[in-house]
Structure formats: structure tokens, C-alpha cells
Amino acid sequence: MRVSKLTFATLAVVAGLSLTACQNDDDGTGQSKPSSSSAASSSGGGSGSGGSDDNSKADKCRTDELEITAADRTIDGDGERTVAVTLKNGGGRDCTLSGFAGVDLKTSEGTVSAERSGEQADPIVLKDGKETYFGITYPENDSGGSGVRVTGLVVTPPNETKSVTLDWPGAATLPVTDGSGSSVKVGPMGGIGQGG
């Protein structure tokens, strides 16, 4: 009989603790707070996606913290040419890149601003010392004419106002357009957009 009372008392205590633990997880908004073990398990990985807890802890990446370079990454047979821009975090801390970078091409005819591609741009936590990239796509000048000469590349990291000017590593010219929109597109962080 004593064993039965102890078992019943133990079950009652465990049930009471379970109810208390469940009540503490609710912050009054109908959503549960993540436990420390679930927060710790979701903070791994170098470039998290929109749901990673790292995104709320890391401040935005500042232009001065990033080493920005560009290289031609056109693949033979692609319908468009591609330049890959690499952003390396040298700021001594993890930081977040959210959205699209600003991209302007300096040309013989003035500035050509790249339009955003239709792809989704998820926030990325860029670990200290690591790098990510994005692509710039543009049409090849196969018109037979001289086209528009490209003289430089201006990159502004997402949510920043300070820009970096680089040498243009891509084709020397762009085709002349009718002015109905930019033929230069910028992709989201973490993707170059090659192969379709």
C-alpha cells in the first residue's frame, strides 16, 4: 500500500511540474518561447535562412567590414553572361545580410542600375571570416555594333549607403537598349543564378 501511495504521489508531482513547465512556455500571445535547447540547436550553420535564430542576434553587415571582389563566372552555353560578386566578412563578428545588394555599372553612356531578379532573398548570417556571393547577369553584346562600354562596377551591400567601386571583370560592352528597362539583373545573396 505504501508503494502505491508513493507512486501516486510521484505521478502527481511530475504532472504538476509538467503543467508548470507548459505554462512558462506561453508568453501570453499564444506562441511558445523556444527552449534553450531548441535555440541552441538552431544556431549552427554558416549561412542561415530566414528562420534561423542567428538572424535576430547578428547586426547587419557594414560595408567597412566586408571585402568585396568580383570575377567573371560566365559558363559557355549560357544565354546570359555572369559576374559573381563575393563578400567576405572581415569585421571580427558575425553579421547579417538581408535583401539585395545595390549594383550600378559605370558605362560610356552613364550609369546603368541593375534590377532585382525575381528570386527570393532570404537573410544570411555571415560568420566572421566566411564569404557569400551574389550574381549579376547581363546579355552578351552580339549585335555586331560597338555597344555600350562598361568602365566600372559599384556595389552597395544590402541596407547600407556606403558603396565600393570595383573594376568590371565581365565583357567590355553591353548591347544598346531601347531604354525600356535594365537588361542587367542582380540576384539574391548566396546564389549566382547560373544554369537557369
Side-chain angles (χ1 to χ4, degrees):
M1 183 74 169
R2 179 173 165 84
V3 172
S4 223
K5 285 183 180 178
L6 278 174
T7 302
F8 182 72
T10 302
L11 287 174
V13 169
V14 170
L17 289 174
S18 295
L19 287 174
T20 303
C22 288
Q23 290 171 349
N24 287 340
D25 283 348
D26 190 352
D27 64 0
T29 63
Q31 298 177 353
S32 352
K33 296 178 184 174
S35 67
S36 58
S37 63
S38 67
S41 67
S42 65
S43 63
S47 60
S49 63
S52 170
D53 285 342
D54 284 343
N55 292 334
S56 62
K57 296 176 185 172
D59 290 332
K60 73 176 181 175
C61 296
R62 294 187 298 264
T63 304
D64 292 336
E65 298 174 312
L66 299 170
E67 179 185 330
I68 303 173
T69 57
D72 185 11
R73 291 291 184 253
T74 301
I75 295 175
D76 288 340
D78 274 359
E80 295 182 311
R81 298 186 61 88
T82 303
V83 165
V85 177
T86 302
L87 297 92
K88 183 175 181 179
N89 183 357
R93 66 180 182 93
D94 296 352
C95 61
T96 303
L97 292 166
S98 283
F100 288 82
V103 171
D104 294 308
L105 300 186
K106 292 181 175 182
T107 75
S108 57
E109 303 295 319
T111 299
V112 174
S113 296
E115 293 180 358
R116 294 176 178 182
S117 70
E119 300 167 79
Q120 182 169 333
D122 293 322
I124 291 177
V125 174
L126 189 58
K127 302 286 187 185
D128 183 38
K130 300 297 182 183
E131 58 189 35
T132 191
Y133 47 86
F134 67 87
I136 302 168
T137 57
Y138 60 100
E140 185 162 355
N141 182 16
D142 56 6
S143 65
S146 60
V148 177
R149 188 171 49 86
V150 182
T151 59
L153 169 64
V154 180
V155 176
T156 309
N159 302 308
E160 276 289 277
T161 55
K162 186 174 182 179
S163 301
V164 173
T165 301
L166 306 170
D167 290 334
W168 173 247
T173 62
L174 298 174
V176 176
T177 64
D178 61 4
S180 63
S182 178
S183 57
V184 180
K185 305 280 187 218
V186 57
M189 293 291 157
I192 297 181
Q194 293 170 314

